[in-house]
Amino acid sequence: MGRTVVVLGGGISGLAASYHLRRARCPPKVVLVEGSERLGGWIRSVRGPDGAVFELGPRGIRPAGALGARTLLLVSELGLDSEVLPVRGDHPAARNRFLYVGGALHALPTGLGGLLRPSPPFSKPLFWAGLRELIRPRGKEPDETVHSFALRRLGPEVASLAMDSLCRGVFAGDSRELSIRSCFPSLFQAEQTHRSILLGLLLGAGRSPQPDSALIRQARAERWSQWSLRGGLEMLPQALEAHLTSRGVSVLRGQPVCGLSLQPEGRWKVFLGDSSLEADHVISAIPASVLSKLLPAEAAPLAQALGAITAVSVAVVNLQYRGAHLPVQGFGHLVPSSEDPGVLGIVYDSVAFPEQDGSPSGLRVTVMLGGAWLQMLQASGSVLSQELFQKQAQEAAATQLGLKEPPSHCLVHLHKNCIPQYTLGHWQKLESAQQFLAAQRLPLTLAGASYEGVAVNDCIESGRQAAVHALGIEPDS
Ligand SMILES: Cc1cc2nc3c(=O)[nH]c(=O)nc-3n(C[C@H](O)[C@H](O)[C@H](O)COP(=O)(O)OP(=O)(O)OC[C@H]3O[C@@H](n4cnc5c(N)ncnc54)[C@H](O)[C@@H]3O)c2cc1C
């Protein structure tokens, strides 16, 4: 009888793992178990009354690097090429990003010219921060917070304005708690290898082999900064689901896994409410903290390491305004914690992807709320009402972008524990989890946003790697 691999979690990581398992020369039986009624996890796109697309989760995927290229290859394999909406290199959404500091929007400098010119809110041209970086000694710690790393190498303004905002934009997190080694591994490695981030990024780590396809070549030639899909990014998990079911993968929805136990012959029993499944191997693509509660007593050290990987919540408020105009054209702006503890940033969705606007006069923006403000509200047991988030978001859009009229359409979603936090020492949690799995030879592989990257590309790659590990061979070979 062939092997059975059970994949836990039908977000993009679990879908990617299932996809790559089925591509193996001798594919195992694959069962994908999802707790909710829909697949895709945080990737969710909904339509407004006029057909406009509103992204409740991710809204753009970066094509850069080997991982970006692999995702584009997947898109082509799923037959989605004609649905891709690129943001080309010469587009304002690719060129312009802003910081909201001191009550005003400031364009982040681009190119060498931009670095040489004074660029508020920074008091000196960023060229000086770069010069300082080149001569700083190499750090000696095995890990450091993003803030401390940036402060040491680039100075206080870059640390407290740029890196603080970046951590809020990518992780909805606090640069004083997040780990440079795990959140920005290329910066950490650049310092380790070349003593300087700038030297490291200039000299590069050597190009890893990249897949090739017509879409990848187009993305490179047109210098895409990101891309989406015509009907929203949820088209990607939907296409994966259709592909998997057509290839014989059993997809179970509405079946939360409530426990795992190890059988004497080394197989897993996966408990689903009233029923159970047997598996030779389990790929977990559910959040680490959820898995930690499902593991059997024999795996207590693993559960302890995984349970320490926390996540933060984000309130996503999609707003649509009739006949309104933005004061600037760009991807969006970020807000450092010193400026506003609750507003992480605003994405100008209509600039990057006007094709998703529905009616031409409907301007779409998304306000991301979170940070210390939301944590404080959650900790104090306050009522987290839709009205509260809508009011906060509308005020931010009015103050920061001049969108003072009431929106014509508004969606509010509080995503609880949606972004894992790679805090200082995250690498040690991963190392102890992997050491335990190897020492006990447990047929369990970890995938998903909890471990080595939260971006959609990272999650897809984690699913692919998990499939490689579970199969013991390269599935694409
Ligand atoms: C608001 C927001 C904006 C983002 N923006 C971007 C962006 O623009 N670009 C980008 O690249 N990335 C972005 N990200 C990050 C990216 O979308 C996520 O990291 C990624 O989608 C996570 O995928 P995942 O499959 O690892 O986890 P999830 O999406 O969390 O999927 C896990 C799945 O497991 C299921 N599950 C949980 N418990 C159980 C159980 N007991 N049994 C069975 N199933 C269970 C869940 O229902 C879920 O479907 C954003 C994330 C958020 C939240």
Side-chain angles (χ1 to χ4, degrees):
M1 213 174 67
R3 295 172 77 227
T4 299
V5 180
V6 172
V7 179
L8 315 183
I12 194 67
S13 306
L15 286 163
S18 307
Y19 176 82
H20 286 287
L21 286 168
R22 281 309 297 176
R23 282 172 59 95
R25 206 170 282 152
C26 295
K29 180 175 179 228
V30 181
V31 185
L32 174 63
V33 190
E34 165 57 38
S36 70
E37 292 298 337
R38 58 173 284 284
L39 300 182
W42 296 118
I43 304 183
R44 192 164 161 216
S45 320
V46 299
R47 293 267 183 188
D50 64 353
V53 175
F54 295 97
E55 297 286 11
L56 309 189
R59 58 217 52 241
I61 298 181
R62 296 173 66 80
L67 300 197
R70 282 219 179 93
T71 304
L72 285 176
L73 192 63
L74 175 68
V75 163
S76 298
E77 287 164 358
L78 293 169
L80 289 174
D81 281 22
S82 60
E83 304 296 333
V84 172
L85 301 177
V87 177
R88 298 187 175 85
D90 54 0
H91 191 277
R95 295 167 61 88
N96 306 334
R97 278 157 200 266
F98 300 87
L99 287 181
Y100 183 78
V101 178
L105 289 171
H106 302 279
L108 283 170
T110 49
L112 188 60
L115 295 178
L116 290 168
R117 278 192 294 275
S119 45
F122 304 101
S123 55
K124 286 193 253 159
L126 285 177
F127 171 78
W128 294 107
L131 208 59
R132 166 198 163 109
E133 203 281 324
L134 281 173
I135 53 169
R136 303 298 295 172
R138 186 188 276 115
K140 294 196 174 67
E141 298 300 322
D143 196 2
E144 198 173 359
T145 66
V146 174
H147 181 79
S148 141
F149 178 88
L151 186 66
R152 184 167 58 71
R153 297 219 60 90
L154 294 156
E157 284 189 341
V158 176
S160 57
L161 296 177
M163 292 307 277
D164 173 286
S165 304
L166 190 61
C167 286
R168 284 157 71 79
V170 180
F171 292 92
D174 183 346
S175 65
R176 289 168 174 79
E177 293 177 5
L178 293 174
S179 144
I180 188 73
R181 178 170 173 157
S182 300
C183 294
F184 300 102
S186 57
L187 301 188
F188 178 78
Q189 280 310 331
E191 185 191 50
Q192 292 297 307
T193 317
H194 296 280
R195 192 192 41 80
S196 144
I197 314 174
L198 292 185
L199 279 179
L201 295 182
L202 279 174
L203 300 173
R207 265 169 69 93
S208 48
Q210 299 206 0
D212 188 34
S213 73
L215 194 63
I216 295 167
R217 284 194 296 277
Q218 188 188 345
R220 262 189 225 129
E222 295 174 355
R223 296 181 297 109
W224 296 2
S225 67
Q226 55 176 313
W227 56 270
S228 178
L229 295 166
R230 203 165 296 280
L233 281 181
E234 193 173 346
M235 288 181 83
L236 182 58
Q238 283 167 349
L240 274 165
E241 180 184 5
H243 177 94
L244 293 176
T245 42
S246 75
R247 302 294 157 103
V249 172
S250 310
V251 178
L252 309 182
R253 298 150 173 259
Q255 302 263 17
V257 177
C258 51
L260 293 168
S261 77
L262 267 173
Q263 306 299 98
E265 67 279 23
R267 300 183 86 214
W268 288 104
K269 196 163 194 170
V270 180
F271 295 97
L272 314 170
D274 294 341
S275 61
S276 64
L277 298 165
E278 300 261 330
D280 298 286
H281 199 105
V282 165
I283 292 179
S284 170
I286 57 179
S289 59
V290 176
L291 176 64
S292 75
K293 297 192 183 85
L294 305 179
L295 289 168
E298 306 95 284
L302 176 61
Q304 199 186 354
L306 299 182
I309 301 174
T310 56
V312 294
S313 306
V314 175
V316 176
V317 184
N318 303 89
L319 298 167
Q320 188 180 34
Y321 295 87
R322 289 266 154 253
H325 297 282
L326 290 166
V328 291
Q329 294 292 296
F331 174 76
H333 69 256
L334 292 172
V335 185
S337 55
S338 52
E339 184 76 18
D340 186 321
V343 181
L344 304 173
I346 306 184
V347 186
Y348 315 157
D349 302 297
S350 286
V351 178
F353 303 116
E355 304 88 340
Q356 297 176 332
D357 273 349
S359 52
S361 65
L363 174 75
R364 292 169 305 123
V365 299
T366 306
V367 182
M368 303 283 182
L369 301 170
W373 173 76
L374 184 53
Q375 279 172 14
M376 203 186 67
L377 285 180
Q378 286 178 313
S380 66
S382 305
V383 179
L384 302 175
S385 66
Q386 301 247 326
E387 292 72 29
L388 171 75
F389 294 124
Q390 178 167 350
K391 182 169 168 287
Q392 190 79 9
Q394 276 180 233
E395 274 174 21
T399 320
Q400 299 177 10
L401 291 174
L403 300 172
K404 295 201 173 17
E405 298 300 317
S408 54
H409 191 64
C410 173
L411 296 171
V412 180
H413 290 86
L414 174 61
H415 296 325
K416 290 201 176 136
N417 302 324
C418 62
I419 308 206
Q421 299 294 286
Y422 304 163
T423 51
L424 188 67
H426 179 75
W427 68 278
Q428 287 164 314
K429 297 173 197 165
L430 301 195
E431 209 165 84
S432 54
Q434 292 305 346
Q435 275 169 4
F436 182 84
L437 286 170
Q440 303 297 314
R441 294 171 177 262
L442 282 191
L444 171 66
T445 310
L446 307 174
S450 295
Y451 307 104
E452 291 185 88
V454 299
V456 171
N457 287 331
D458 300 315
C459 293
I460 291 175
E461 176 64 6
S462 81
R464 190 184 78 90
Q465 297 276 356
V468 169
H469 186 252
L471 292 163
I473 54 160
E474 182 66 50
D476 292 332
S477 63

